[in-house]
Amino acid sequence: MPMTPHRTPRVRRALTGALLAGLALLTSAGPAAADDPSATASPAGAGDGPTEAGTTFRTATALEQGRTGTAQASTGDYLYWVFPADAGQRPTVEATVKLPESAARRGASTWQIDVYDGLRRRQACTYGHQTRKAAADAATVELSCVLRTVRSWSEPWANDPLPGSYYVRLTVVDLPASDLGLPVGVEVKAVSEDVGGGHDVDGSLSAPLVPGVLLSGASGDDATGSAASAAPRTPTAGGPEDGWASNWWTDRWLWTVGGGVLAALAAVFGYTLTRGRGRPAGAPHGV
């Protein structure tokens, strides 16, 4: 039965409403990730973190995201931690150094924090205070480093951050020679912000870049040389609570499905505008 003229406006109004609803769905699919220099993610877990730090990449202390790691060290030591970061996350590393009493120091000091990926490639900081100078009378110095968004896949020649372990190295890079060896206290914390599907790429690694890290206390052999004491433990930096790259859902799915729905509605709407108004009333029927 042909569509009568008085029904066409009703259909057009219904299709217009559906188009507006689809646009509202797309615009509310997910807020765009702002380039904020500080991460806004909540801590991944509660409780105390590790109370020591490694002195090399191989002895780096595992640190969960959201936990605060502490250590007592001497000025001039290289301190290492390692934490996991997955695709779609933008990690932020923060460190606070509690300096010795000003009466024991002879001058200012400069501290620096560096972050390396699982291939031990140094990753650039997009925001934060990676290097800071502490005055001779300063009590603490705070450093921070906001990395680029971790990608699920990258070209072999690129230096993009990839899923896996990330090593944090903290040390003093400039100070009077007489201040070497003074005791310091350190607090380190790593958190991440999920930036959403806008940074997703096609492709993924076959496995995250998670090398084993040797525990500093696992290499001591006893006098008998037993196999239990000689075998080093090699724990990894851990991983996300729901597994590596297990969160397959991103807001890109909403944009894809919503775009398909809008395209279909637009096609139907265009068809109703161009198909004509049908046979006039009273016109003879064809054979």
Side-chain angles (χ1 to χ4, degrees):
M1 180 177 180
M3 183 179 295
T4 57
H6 70 277
R7 294 181 61 185
T8 301
R10 185 182 305 170
V11 174
R12 292 179 180 175
R13 287 194 297 268
L15 290 175
T16 302
L19 285 172
L20 293 176
L23 288 174
L25 173 65
L26 287 182
T27 54
S28 61
D35 291 334
D36 189 354
S38 60
T40 58
S42 299
D48 297 331
T51 57
E52 60 181 9
T55 54
T56 65
F57 281 102
R58 293 177 62 84
T59 61
T61 299
L63 179 66
E64 296 182 19
Q65 287 198 33
R67 300 282 181 91
T68 300
T70 59
Q72 299 296 322
S74 299
T75 306
D77 289 343
Y78 284 85
L79 305 178
Y80 289 82
W81 295 265
V82 57
F83 68 93
D86 206 354
Q89 294 183 340
R90 185 168 58 191
T92 296
V93 180
E94 300 174 344
T96 301
V97 182
K98 298 179 181 178
L99 301 172
E101 296 292 335
S102 58
R105 286 181 280 161
R106 296 295 182 268
S109 58
T110 302
W111 295 78
Q112 180 170 305
I113 188 171
D114 297 295
V115 182
Y116 300 82
D117 63 10
L119 298 178
R120 298 188 185 179
R121 302 177 302 180
R122 184 176 180 272
Q123 294 294 323
C125 300
T126 58
Y127 301 102
H129 301 279
Q130 183 180 6
T131 304
R132 266 193 166 177
K133 185 175 182 179
D137 58 348
T140 60
V141 57
E142 297 181 353
L143 304 101
S144 62
C145 175
V146 181
L147 300 177
R148 293 173 294 167
T149 302
V150 178
R151 297 164 58 91
S152 60
W153 181 84
S154 177
E155 296 288 348
W157 47 261
N159 193 35
D160 296 322
L162 296 171
S165 301
Y166 282 81
Y167 295 88
V168 180
R169 184 179 73 181
L170 175 66
T171 190
V172 61
V173 294
D174 185 31
L175 83 164
S178 58
D179 289 349
L180 284 173
L182 293 178
V184 293
V186 179
E187 294 183 357
V188 172
K189 185 176 182 180
V191 295
S192 290
E193 176 185 6
D194 292 326
V195 299
H199 293 262
D200 288 345
V201 296
D202 295 329
S204 61
L205 297 180
S206 59
L209 305 177
V210 184
V213 287
L214 294 174
L215 290 180
S216 58
S219 58
D221 301 341
D222 58 10
T224 60
S226 63
S229 62
R233 292 179 292 166
T234 56
T236 64
E241 294 181 356
D242 51 357
W244 289 101
S246 60
N247 187 16
W248 60 272
W249 173 262
T250 67
D251 53 12
R252 291 184 66 182
W253 288 98
L254 291 177
W255 286 92
T256 302
V257 175
V261 172
L262 286 179
L265 292 176
V268 175
F269 183 67
Y271 175 73
T272 60
L273 295 178
T274 58
R275 69 183 297 269
R277 297 180 178 275
R279 182 184 300 104
H285 293 275
V287 180

